[in-house]
Amino acid sequence: MPTKPDIPIALDVQDLQVYFKLRGSGLSRLLGKEGGTVKAVDHVSLRLRRGEVLGLVGESGSGKTTLGRAILGLVPATGGAIEHTSGGESVDISKLRGRALREHRTKVQMIFQDPHAALNPAMTIATQVGHPLVIHQKLRGAELRERVVAALESVGLAPAEQFMGKYPSDLSGGQKQRAVIARSIILNPDVLVADEPVSMLDMSVRAKILQLMLDLKHKLGLTYVYITHDLATAKFFCDRVAIMYLGKVVEIGPTDEIFANPRHPYTQALLKAIPDVDPAKQVPRDLPRGEIPDAARPPRGCSFHPRCPLARAECGWEPRDLKALVEEHWTRVPVDEYEHEHAVVGGLRELNTDAKTVLVQPTRGGTVAEIFAMFTKIRDENPDEPLWSGVTRIEQTPDGVAFDFAEPAEIALHPAGSSEVACVRVNAQ
Amino acid sequence: MKSLLAPFRQTTGMARWLLVTGVGIVFIFVLAALLAPVIAPYRFDQMEDADGQRFTKLSPPGPGHLLGVNDQFYDIFSRIVWGAQTALTVVLLAVLLSLVIGVVLGLVSGYVGRWIDRVLVFIMDAMYAFPSLLLAIVFSFLLKGVFDSIGGTLLFGMRPGVLSAALSLTVIYIPQYFRVVRNTTVSAREATYVEAARAIGASNVTIMSRYLFSNVIQSVPVIGTINAADAISTLAALGFLGLGIQPNEASEWGYDLSRALDDAASGIWWTGMFPGIAIVLLVTGLTLIGEGLNETINPTLRKRRFAPITLPPRAQEVVAK
């Protein structure tokens, strides 16, 4: 459903960046070399209206959990702003430090993925559910007990007396997650970040927990950020969905629109990957090839292009893709052919770069002509491979074979229908 | 009280036997220490009876002097009873102090990390590199000098020698607690429940005291009792070398043992044997408690017993018969 403009904005994430520095090896640290940077969240902007449920969907490593933790200030933002509006007051969470940040936690809370780990094993349920009140409002005695009982009963742990004296190890997974939810709502927050709240639970419990979260939303007027890799629960639970890939939002829009009319190739692939319960429908799914790339060295242009079935010339092709293609070719050819070709070009180390131009040099035993012949052969095997559309020049020079790659188009979110998509195919329309 | 007895109720077989024996032995010594003024017939530095008559030097065990008299005219039984008091006071003080300091430093070092962690780990590792007895000798020398210059009785009426012995033992045991607590803290720090605590707005002090503390001290009681056993022998070693508590300050088994060295050659066995037995018994008792606790608390060693259940015969069979 489209968001109504008259409902106030609760959370406004503007151009948020969360980068992590890599430390590199001991030797490179001694030599003072900088390790790489992982852009876990890379220029993400999101807007949540009060009472809305936004789903953050993506594979492992897409940065969705880091984004959720950044909203709570659990990881420092490298750049951008997280504006949280509550009761007419706006605060930029990413600028808060120390005591002010801790006090802000009364308004933004988190539900964790693993309920077995999120509770302190050495504290009773009553103590830990009530601890936020002890920390922030210095409550104790009968008043504290009353609030704890109310919170436990509102999450369905009733009668509360039966659970208060117990330790987490005495509870089942679903009960623990209810206790975690009770702890997160006891301060009456207005934004809840739920990091895969049901992925560690049994199937039978998942729906109940999600229903509980929806009930609490209506009762307490909560706004949810729902982080998940499970599109099926996102479809059930969210008003809007943002699809993340390698730290960037690639598509964002109303849930119905995303599911009925996915525009980004990655979204389309994710939707195809939902298992079908009908065994007769065993159609081969064209899932994205390969693995999610190394976040420390993301691909040039669109991060998804190496895996994209619909990639074009301007998607940001680069030497590393060429290397992957040659290696993939080697897995298919006979051993003696591989050995011959490998002897000619060597390990293709020069292709480990995202430069625009690259020169493949022959080894001591090979010649430039042989390399050229090898690449020609690989191209003729599959001329439709989108990579070749991104290669603007292949030329034999005295030193080796030179490749030029096409300039990548700028990738940014553009409106398409009622959603926004970051893909060159949509930009062109 | 119930939680205090919990380790005992959880034990089975060997572990329970170790624990019970250990507690029994240590209990006897604790009784002796607490009731020393009642049990001991003489003061620890008394050389003559009430009439001003000097005890017979080196008289063998017998009536009047249950365990005999040593070469300094001291009644050996009294020396042993008062010695229990000295030993337990010193060890209790040393273990408690090193436990508190070691645990707190370990928690802070493991949780805060960065340079504090590096500096503390470096210092503790450096202390670990020395033989503990050597370190104890150095520290007791240093501290004794300081306390002697203050003079008189210090903390809780303790004499300078007693306090310096306790503190030097404290110093050598801190690294053990520090290491264990610091390492468990480093791994517990990354646990989700710690992040959850941060997410509810807990300050670092709260996280350390309420969330980490109770999860990292499980193995501390075991180290405590085993250290106590080690502390008894180190204290005796200090006394044996003449560096510990002086004979006029308090009764100390190690010192008595060193005095008895010459007697052994001339067939006088009672001056050396009884303090020796006292040391061995107390060390054994404390070690047994430590091992028993370890068997109980350490989950990798713990075995659960399954009791066989015999079901009553089914009704049909009974009828058939």
Side-chain angles (χ1 to χ4, degrees):
Chain A
M1 58 217 83
T3 49
K4 295 171 193 96
D6 51 321
I7 300 176
I9 287 170
L11 198 66
D12 191 1
V13 177
Q14 297 155 7
D15 200 34
L16 183 72
Q17 302 137 50
V18 181
Y19 296 171
F20 295 109
K21 273 226 164 69
L22 293 180
R23 285 176 68 192
S25 67
L27 184 67
S28 59
R29 255 184 290 159
L30 275 180
L31 296 173
K33 267 196 235 164
E34 281 280 304
T37 313
V38 173
K39 300 181 175 179
V41 176
D42 197 8
H43 298 281
V44 167
S45 298
L46 297 168
R47 232 170 224 204
L48 269 96
R49 296 189 182 277
R50 173 149 301 164
E52 192 178 30
V53 181
L54 174 74
L56 292 179
V57 180
E59 285 171 289
S60 326
S62 60
K64 53 191 195 302
T65 298
T66 306
L67 176 55
R69 295 177 61 202
I71 291 173
L72 261 89
L74 288 173
V75 285
T78 314
I82 306 164
E83 216 151 86
H84 174 235
T85 312
S86 137
E89 264 179 76
S90 275
V91 187
D92 182 358
I93 299 176
S94 66
K95 303 285 183 295
L96 294 178
R97 293 284 178 274
R99 177 176 287 272
L101 179 61
R102 289 206 302 277
E103 276 167 11
H104 196 77
R105 303 262 164 82
T106 53
K107 295 181 190 126
V108 184
Q109 275 290 324
M110 186 153 180
I111 301 172
F112 291 87
Q113 176 177 15
D114 185 356
H116 309 284
L119 294 169
N120 182 355
M123 244 189 205
T124 62
I125 296 299
T127 318
Q128 37 198 340
V129 169
H131 207 206
L133 290 175
V134 177
I135 292 170
H136 292 288
Q137 299 171 8
K138 307 263 180 289
L139 286 191
R140 48 183 80 242
E143 200 184 350
L144 174 66
R145 199 184 147 79
E146 206 174 283
R147 293 275 298 271
V148 171
V149 170
L152 285 176
E153 300 206 327
S154 69
V155 298
L157 289 177
E161 283 74 16
Q162 206 179 324
F163 296 96
M164 290 177 74
K166 287 195 171 159
Y167 285 89
S169 54
D170 303 331
L171 302 187
S172 73
Q175 288 171 336
K176 280 184 215 174
Q177 193 62 297
R178 283 171 194 269
V180 171
I181 295 173
R183 179 175 62 186
S184 63
I185 59 162
I186 201 163
L187 287 167
N188 293 324
D190 43 43
V191 176
L192 261 187
V193 177
D195 184 5
E196 309 209 20
V198 295
S199 69
M200 300 285 284
L201 300 176
D202 288 351
M203 275 298 176
S204 55
V205 185
R206 289 189 182 185
K208 287 187 197 165
I209 294 288
L210 285 178
Q211 190 57 51
L212 168 70
M213 287 173 65
L214 279 182
D215 293 345
L216 289 173
K217 183 193 119 168
H218 294 305
K219 210 165 87 184
L220 307 171
L222 294 169
T223 307
Y224 280 118
V225 177
Y226 179 70
I227 299 166
T228 188
H229 58 252
D230 179 8
L231 279 162
T233 57
K235 189 176 183 179
F236 166 75
F237 195 65
C238 303
D239 303 322
R240 280 198 306 148
V241 172
I243 310 284
M244 286 189 73
Y245 188 77
L246 271 190
K248 290 195 172 87
V249 172
V250 295
E251 182 163 2
I252 180 167
T255 309
D256 300 342
E257 177 75 8
I258 296 267
F259 278 84
N261 208 349
R263 289 185 173 82
H264 196 282
Y266 180 61
T267 316
Q268 292 167 357
L270 277 183
L271 287 177
K272 278 185 198 142
I274 299 179
D276 208 316
V277 286
D278 183 0
K281 275 194 188 166
Q282 280 289 341
V283 277
R285 307 189 189 100
D286 47 343
L287 299 176
R289 51 185 176 173
E291 292 287 319
I292 195 162
D294 182 3
R297 302 176 61 215
R300 205 155 70 108
C302 169
S303 304
F304 188 58
H305 80 260
R307 306 172 68 189
C308 183
L310 306 168
R312 297 179 179 185
E314 66 271 33
C315 286
W317 296 100
E318 50 168 310
R320 281 184 286 166
D321 301 322
L322 190 62
K323 187 182 181 205
L325 186 73
V326 174
E327 283 171 349
E328 197 251 342
H329 155 79
W330 281 343
T331 62
R332 282 184 278 109
V333 299
V335 176
D336 48 340
E337 196 180 330
Y338 157 69
E339 277 168 357
H340 169 71
E341 288 180 1
H342 191 264
V344 171
V345 293
L348 290 171
R349 281 224 167 148
E350 55 269 51
L351 291 182
N352 267 336
T353 164
D354 56 0
K356 253 178 68 187
T357 308
V358 74
L359 185 73
V360 180
Q361 288 171 309
T363 53
R364 211 171 293 163
T367 64
V368 176
E370 277 175 311
I371 296 179
F372 191 72
M374 183 190 100
F375 279 110
T376 315
K377 194 180 82 189
I378 294 174
R379 187 167 65 167
D380 291 345
E381 273 175 11
N382 183 9
D384 296 333
E385 163 64 41
L387 165 75
W388 299 113
S389 67
V391 178
T392 52
R393 181 180 70 112
I394 310 179
E395 196 183 339
Q396 296 189 57
T397 67
D399 298 330
V401 180
F403 290 86
D404 274 358
F405 291 88
E407 189 65 36
E410 203 194 323
I411 312 287
L413 282 171
H414 285 275
S418 53
S419 40
E420 285 178 82
V421 186
C423 180
V424 287
R425 293 166 56 252
V426 174
N427 298 2
Q429 280 164 13
Chain B
M1 195 64 206
K2 205 176 157 193
S3 63
L4 216 86
L5 281 175
F8 177 74
R9 281 188 289 108
Q10 284 164 13
T11 52
T12 47
M14 185 70 167
R16 173 171 285 194
W17 188 84
L18 288 176
L19 206 56
V20 171
T21 316
V23 171
I25 294 173
V26 174
F27 184 69
I28 294 171
F29 280 96
V30 172
L31 267 190
L34 290 176
L35 304 175
V38 185
I39 296 173
Y42 307 103
R43 291 192 321 277
F44 70 90
D45 55 352
Q46 198 170 348
M47 298 178 185
E48 48 205 19
D49 54 25
D51 308 331
Q53 183 77 39
R54 276 225 156 184
F55 299 149
T56 321
K57 186 176 176 179
L58 293 174
S59 67
H65 300 289
L66 198 59
L67 302 178
V69 174
N70 71 8
D71 65 337
Q72 287 183 301
F73 303 96
Y74 294 145
D75 175 57
I76 294 176
F77 180 66
S78 306
R79 290 285 290 180
I80 286 181
V81 172
W82 287 108
Q85 194 178 50
T86 316
L88 289 173
T89 315
V90 169
V91 168
L92 194 70
L93 189 69
V95 168
L96 275 183
L97 274 179
S98 57
L99 192 148
V100 170
I101 298 172
V103 169
V104 170
L105 287 183
L107 259 178
V108 171
S109 178
Y111 180 71
V112 178
R114 288 176 303 189
W115 65 269
I116 293 185
D117 188 42
R118 292 201 188 178
V119 170
L120 283 174
V121 167
F122 180 80
I123 294 172
M124 297 293 169
D125 280 355
M127 281 167 65
Y128 235 31
F130 288 99
S132 58
L133 183 60
L134 186 69
L135 212 58
I137 291 171
V138 172
F139 274 103
S140 75
F141 249 137
L142 286 174
L143 293 168
K144 212 165 158 44
V146 176
F147 291 141
D148 275 341
S149 64
I150 300 169
T153 58
L154 301 154
L155 199 64
F156 306 123
M158 264 188 267
R159 306 295 301 271
V162 179
L163 194 62
S164 67
L167 291 185
S168 58
L169 291 177
T170 303
V171 173
I172 63 172
Y173 292 125
I174 287 175
Q176 297 189 14
Y177 298 95
F178 173 84
R179 273 200 170 184
V180 169
V181 171
R182 185 241 168 211
N183 289 350
T184 33
T185 307
V186 166
S187 59
R189 172 178 70 172
E190 305 299 330
T192 312
Y193 63 82
V194 173
E195 182 163 31
R198 217 170 285 144
I200 61 171
S203 64
N204 287 337
V205 175
T206 314
I207 290 174
M208 279 191 268
S209 61
R210 298 296 306 275
Y211 286 82
L212 287 172
F213 178 74
S214 42
N215 287 300
V216 299
I217 52 151
Q218 274 108 345
S219 45
V220 165
V222 177
I223 309 174
T225 42
I226 292 183
N227 271 350
D230 191 59
I232 298 284
S233 48
T234 309
L235 178 68
L238 282 178
F240 189 84
L241 294 172
L243 298 165
I245 296 157
Q246 295 308 303
N248 60 339
E249 290 181 326
S251 166
E252 208 279 311
W253 298 332
Y255 172 81
D256 289 357
L257 211 55
S258 75
R259 297 288 309 189
L261 217 50
D262 299 333
D263 303 338
S266 45
I268 299 163
W269 51 272
W270 54 90
T271 51
M273 189 161 112
F274 295 118
I277 288 179
I279 294 171
V280 170
L281 267 183
L282 188 51
V283 169
T284 311
L286 288 167
T287 310
L288 287 179
I289 295 182
E291 290 299 327
L293 277 182
N294 195 23
E295 296 258 339
T296 317
I297 293 173
N298 189 340
T300 55
L301 294 175
R302 183 168 52 196
K303 281 198 202 101
R304 291 205 186 272
R305 277 274 174 89
F306 292 103
I309 297 172
T310 332
L311 293 171
R314 284 197 292 181
Q316 289 167 345
E317 290 165 17
V318 177
V319 173
K321 276 175 193 167

